[in-house]
Each structure stands twice: as structure tokens, then as C-alpha cells.
Amino acid sequence: MEDHSLEKKFSKFIIAVSIIIPVVVGILFGVKLKDLGFHVEPLPFLPPIYATTNGITAIVLVWAVIAIKSGKRKLHERLMTFAIALSVAFLVMYVAYHMTTDSTKFRGEGIIRFVYFFILITHILLSIAIIPLVLITYVRALAERFDRHRKIAKITFPLWLYVAVTGVVVYLMISPYYV
């Protein structure tokens, strides 16, 4: 049975989360705990972990699409929930790293510099845009509005996959410059 009220119920939450997460991440990105008087050790080990988390997210997303196309709805549901959990874990590690460690500058030159910044900028912009898309897609599935879920999932999936894959690419491109 479809639950139309569930979508309505979550709409304000989705809007709030879609605004709050990028704003808070943007603010925290510029905050260094040491500048606030906290004695914290840098966390230089996190980038390969959160890049791996992005890579696993990409694999889980593809696996989830294969599962649903094979009629394995429960597996699809579990995989999508896991993909969201992985994305939240990525976000926590990313913020923790940037609050404890100075940012690394990309020092590549020539065309590779343009490629890096193109990938980085599209990754950042789409990582912001993907928040409401994922939440809306997920809520529509929970509400059993599968017709509407499928429509938005056709947009959400490739964008989320792009964000996950480019997260790994950005890491691989900047990793030679980590101190």
C-alpha cells in the first residue's frame, strides 16, 4: 500500500538536511581544532580510508542496481541503506581529517591541473546536489511509491555513482602531494 503522507512528512526534513549538511561541512572545513585551543593529533591516515569508502560505495551502488534488476528487492534495499551509511561514514571522516589536518595543495601542472580541478569542482557540486536526491529517492521507496522512486532513481544513481568514483579519482590525483 502506497503511503503518500510519508513523502510529505519527510519533505521539510529533506530540505533542512540538504541545506544544513553542506553549510556545516563548509564551516567545519575551515575550522581547525588546534586554532580553537584543542590539542588534537592530525589524522593523516584518513584520506586513503575515506577514498576506499567512496570506492566501496560505488561498488555497492552498482550491486544494488543489479540486485533490483534481478528482482532481489530486499537485497537492493539493504545495499542502498549500506550505501547511505558508507556516505555518512565518508562525511564524518572527511570533516575529521580537515578539522585536524592542513589542506593539501594540488601541485600538478599543465592540462592535468585543469583535469583535476574540473573533476574536483564537479565532484563537490554534485556531492551537494546528491543529498536531497538520495533522501527523496530513499523516502519514495520507504513510502512504496515505486513509480516515483524509479523515476528519480534514474537521476540519482548516475550522479551518486559519479560522486563516489570521482572521490576516489580526486584522492588518487592529490595523494602524491600529501606530506
Side-chain angles (χ1 to χ4, degrees):
M1 184 169 148
E2 293 183 359
D3 185 356
H4 303 282
S5 64
L6 192 62
E7 276 187 87
K8 210 173 216 177
K9 181 177 165 183
F10 278 100
S11 63
K12 288 180 183 165
F13 171 78
I14 291 169
I15 292 167
V17 168
S18 298
I19 294 169
I20 291 168
I21 288 176
V23 168
V24 169
V25 169
I27 291 168
L28 293 178
F29 190 83
V31 171
K32 297 293 182 237
L33 291 176
K34 66 182 178 186
D35 296 341
L36 299 176
F38 293 98
H39 177 71
V40 292
E41 292 296 317
L43 303 171
F45 60 88
L46 283 179
I49 296 170
Y50 63 68
T52 300
T53 302
N54 263 331
I56 294 168
T57 301
I59 292 166
V60 169
L61 290 171
V62 170
W63 187 9
V65 169
I66 292 168
I68 199 64
K69 288 185 183 277
S70 302
K72 299 174 182 172
R73 193 168 122 199
K74 199 67 181 166
L75 176 60
H76 172 76
E77 182 182 327
R78 288 183 182 131
L79 289 168
M80 293 312 298
T81 302
F82 184 44
I84 291 171
L86 287 167
S87 293
V88 170
F90 162 83
L91 192 59
V92 169
M93 288 185 281
Y94 179 82
V95 169
Y97 172 78
H98 284 285
M99 289 183 75
T100 62
T101 311
D102 292 330
S103 291
T104 300
K105 304 285 185 230
F106 183 77
R107 295 190 299 268
E109 297 176 5
I111 191 73
I112 197 70
R113 187 171 184 79
F114 170 80
V115 169
Y116 172 79
F117 282 107
F118 176 81
I119 293 170
L120 178 64
I121 291 166
T122 58
H123 170 79
I124 292 168
L125 293 175
L126 290 173
S127 70
I128 294 166
I130 202 64
I131 297 167
L133 290 171
V134 167
L135 294 174
I136 291 166
T137 306
Y138 195 72
V139 167
R140 286 182 178 174
L142 290 177
E144 297 183 4
R145 303 286 311 272
F146 297 118
D147 55 331
R148 293 170 52 94
H149 170 78
R150 275 189 294 278
K151 279 183 184 174
I152 196 167
K154 289 178 181 180
I155 298 165
T156 304
F157 169 71
L159 294 179
W160 194 358
L161 185 61
Y162 179 86
V163 169
V165 170
T166 55
V168 176
V169 172
V170 165
Y171 166 74
L172 291 172
M173 292 181 79
I174 200 165
S175 63
Y177 307 108
Y178 283 121
V179 177

